[in-house]
Amino acid sequence: MGQANNGGLNSYLTYSYEIAAIDVVAALTAVGATESARQLKHVLDALGEPLPASTQDERWAVMEKCGTEDLDVVDVLSDEADAELMEVLERHVAQDMDFYRRLS
């Protein structure tokens, strides 16, 4: 979800075409990032069309067809959602420190 605040949710949804958007909402909810999940779901609802896992061209076509200027207002996660994602990530790393130590 780092792309969500780097390039906006639109960028994230466009370039993460291999992942179904509803699966991202479910994953965010499962790890406790409920505000982030809510905000992403709001954008998905506004698009009015599901974004299943697809090819890059298919995802681009849906985003071009359904994206509107109204969605620009909610193109980035709020500070609250961004902070929540950082808290969830920090908690995950702290709980799985042994895994991360083995990566080096």
Side-chain angles (χ1 to χ4, degrees):
M1 287 289 295
Q3 283 178 318
N5 279 342
N6 273 347
L9 290 172
N10 184 11
S11 176
Y12 172 73
L13 292 171
T14 301
Y15 291 107
S16 300
Y17 54 87
E18 72 280 357
I19 304 169
I22 199 66
D23 291 344
V24 176
V25 172
L28 289 168
T29 302
V31 299
T34 56
E35 182 59 23
S36 301
R38 186 192 67 74
Q39 290 179 26
L40 177 57
K41 178 89 168 69
H42 174 74
V43 170
L44 296 175
D45 290 345
L47 282 172
E49 191 166 319
L51 294 176
S54 63
T55 67
Q56 186 175 22
D57 290 341
E58 291 168 333
R59 181 63 64 90
W60 271 94
V62 172
M63 295 300 292
E64 286 178 355
K65 180 179 111 186
C66 298
T68 65
E69 288 185 22
D70 293 341
L71 289 178
D72 289 346
V73 175
V74 291
D75 193 37
V76 295
L77 295 174
S78 68
D79 290 342
E80 177 188 6
D82 191 48
E84 176 188 66
L85 281 173
M86 289 306 299
E87 289 172 19
V88 166
L89 178 60
E90 288 171 0
R91 188 170 50 245
H92 171 75
V93 170
Q95 290 170 349
D96 296 308
M97 190 58 76
D98 289 338
F99 169 79
Y100 289 102
R101 284 190 181 122
R102 288 191 299 261
L103 292 177
S104 353

